[in-house]
Amino acid sequence: MKWRWGWWLGLLVLSFTWIQPALALTEPQRLVVEVWHIVNRAYVEPTFNGHNWQTVRQTALQSPPETMVQAETVIQEMLGQLDDPFTRVLPQSQYRNLQTTTAGELTGVGLQIVLDTEQQVPLVVAPISGSPAAQAGIQSRDRILAIDGASTLGMDMDTAASRMRGLPGTRVVLTLQRGERRWPVTIERQRVVLPSVVWEVRPGAIGYIQLSQFSAGSAAEMAEAIQALEAQGVGGYVLDLRNNPGGLFQAGLEIAQEWLNQGTVVYTVNRDGLETDFTAGGKALTDKPLVVLVNHGTASASEILAGALQDNHRATLVGETTFGKGLIQSVFKLSNGDGLAVSVARYETPAHHNIHRRGIVPDQEVPTPPETTGNDPQYQAAVAGLTKSLVATGS
């Protein structure tokens, strides 16, 4: 299956405001040049994926846009040549929604989606745990064929995401496809609070922690969970990163440092090929055995965490190959109030694995079972592995 990357909770860093270009141009022309300049200076791929970026600018201004609507069309065509949907304009409403989401809350159905290039329709990465979409039984890799009766064929992901958002209490009808089955489902939109971490003590004195996304408060929530479980005397941990779509880069670093005493967490590589390493240099909150659960919905910042724990031999990974999203975006505020997300770097695991579009292969592969079985063989395999570690260490 070939995927083309689309809207979701990606891997983000700080936002910036760009200074407007020269005032000799009209407002629509200034917006086009402003976007061009940001991409010219920040984009991760110095060859602009095989395009002469100077020529792209000249082409964009050959017939200067006279209205802001025309400018938006020119910008979309210009950015489309990069073949990188992560680099895109975020209209003001979507820009605000992105800021809200990374703060830990959103309103809508609670889905992360990408574009399936085979069928040119949205493909579900994962439903957010506890969201209306999850309650409706939507699963990773379901395709969304229509939203409120409107075909999604060829629809861009920002538009699809926007149509699924809405006021709490309103409803949206999604037409889904899973294998050969097609069916409609009506979902009531809700305010989806995104508690990053839930935890409990499970049989066998196992501390179970589920991390659903990386928001501003995730590291503090994770620390609270580990400390609470340590106080209850657990012997080891299962960290569940399944269907975790990612989030804030900084949160991923901080959580990795809570599990690692030392070692590289991740490398970032910029457009000039220069590496920056982020390391753990403090004291982990626990050194007890750890197994991490991953699947096809484990993406972005959660792949950074999984890769750091695997490559540093801190944890065993169980489940399925992860999603494979290895680009980092910065979000710039444009002069018209919109946002511009630009891929500014890629990341590699501590063992220098570039996982973009490849994913991380778990140490023990266990497929996700059909929903109807009611079993969780991935968790059972994690417990079996953890039990062996506890016996080996005499815990």
Side-chain angles (χ1 to χ4, degrees):
M1 179 183 296
K2 293 173 67 179
W3 293 345
R4 183 181 178 89
W5 311 101
W7 179 92
W8 65 330
L9 267 176
L11 189 61
L12 301 172
V13 292
L14 297 176
S15 298
F16 302 89
T17 300
W18 194 262
I19 299 174
Q20 289 191 26
L23 297 176
L25 301 173
T26 66
E27 185 177 358
Q29 294 167 8
R30 287 202 304 272
L31 185 63
V32 172
V33 175
E34 180 182 9
V35 170
W36 182 90
H37 272 295
I38 294 173
V39 174
N40 186 54
R41 295 189 62 178
Y43 192 64
V44 59
E45 173 52 57
T47 68
F48 301 96
N49 293 332
H51 292 278
N52 185 315
W53 201 239
Q54 293 289 340
T55 301
V56 169
R57 181 182 188 275
Q58 293 170 4
T59 302
L61 294 176
Q62 274 182 351
S63 299
E66 298 179 357
T67 68
M68 294 303 286
V69 172
Q70 291 175 351
E72 291 167 2
T73 299
V74 170
I75 289 169
Q76 288 178 355
E77 293 173 351
M78 184 169 63
L79 296 180
Q81 296 187 53
L82 295 172
D83 193 27
D84 173 15
F86 287 126
T87 297
R88 66 203 190 281
V89 173
L90 304 172
Q92 292 184 33
S93 60
Q94 294 171 11
Y95 184 33
R96 289 193 298 268
N97 283 332
L98 176 64
Q99 293 172 311
T100 300
T101 298
T102 54
E105 185 180 290
L106 57 83
T107 299
V109 301
L111 280 177
Q112 299 87 41
I113 57 176
V114 296
L115 181 67
D116 181 352
T117 53
E118 290 184 353
Q119 296 195 20
Q120 291 296 306
V121 296
L123 180 73
V124 174
V125 175
I128 295 171
S129 178
S131 68
Q135 294 170 10
I138 297 177
Q139 298 179 16
S140 176
R141 297 196 175 187
D142 286 348
R143 293 178 176 86
I144 302 173
L145 304 182
I147 302 172
D148 283 334
S151 172
T152 59
L153 183 64
M155 184 181 293
D156 68 84
M157 296 301 96
D158 287 328
T159 299
S162 179
R163 291 190 178 190
M164 287 188 286
R165 297 191 192 103
L167 295 175
T170 60
R171 295 183 177 184
V172 60
V173 180
L174 304 182
T175 303
L176 303 173
Q177 178 183 24
R178 183 183 303 159
E180 298 300 319
R181 179 191 174 200
R182 298 187 181 194
W183 77 103
V185 58
T186 300
I187 304 176
E188 183 175 305
R189 298 180 179 96
Q190 297 176 11
R191 189 171 300 281
V192 182
V193 179
L194 304 172
S196 299
V197 180
V198 295
W199 71 89
E200 63 181 351
V201 179
R202 291 192 172 180
I206 293 173
Y208 172 81
I209 302 176
Q210 182 185 49
L211 178 63
S212 58
Q213 57 112 24
F214 293 77
S215 61
S218 296
E221 292 180 45
M222 178 63 70
E224 180 182 355
I226 295 172
Q227 291 163 354
L229 291 168
E230 285 290 295
Q232 295 180 62
V234 298
Y237 291 87
V238 173
L239 175 60
D240 194 343
L241 297 181
R242 293 176 294 184
N243 296 329
N244 182 323
L248 294 176
F249 179 73
Q250 186 62 33
L253 296 179
E254 292 173 358
I255 291 174
Q257 291 167 345
E258 293 172 352
W259 293 98
L260 293 168
N261 284 316
Q262 59 184 4
T264 299
V265 175
V266 67
Y267 293 98
T268 61
V269 185
N270 69 8
R271 62 186 290 164
D272 298 319
L274 298 177
E275 291 183 351
T276 300
D277 63 318
F278 297 85
T279 61
K283 180 170 176 54
L285 298 180
T286 179
D287 59 0
K288 292 176 181 175
L290 172 65
V291 176
V292 178
L293 293 174
V294 295
N295 67 1
H296 298 314
T298 302
S300 196
S302 56
E303 290 175 291
I304 285 181
L305 177 58
L309 297 175
Q310 183 185 53
D311 286 359
N312 283 288
H313 308 290
R314 175 64 181 89
T316 299
L317 270 55
V318 173
E320 300 168 314
T321 300
T322 62
F323 190 82
K325 195 270 185 180
L327 295 178
I328 300 171
Q329 285 74 47
S330 286
V331 180
F332 300 81
K333 184 177 181 180
L334 299 175
S335 56
N336 68 343
D338 291 347
L340 177 65
V342 180
S343 296
V344 296
R346 60 180 172 85
Y347 70 80
E348 297 179 354
T349 71
H352 289 287
H353 295 140
N354 178 2
I355 61 89
H356 192 56
R357 304 195 182 193
R358 301 183 184 121
I360 295 174
V361 178
D363 300 289
Q364 182 180 354
E365 295 198 50
V366 180
T368 298
E371 185 180 349
T372 55
T373 65
N375 296 321
D376 190 348
Q378 293 171 339
Y379 178 76
Q380 294 167 1
V383 170
L386 194 58
T387 300
K388 290 181 182 179
S389 296
L390 295 174
V391 170
T393 58
S395 301

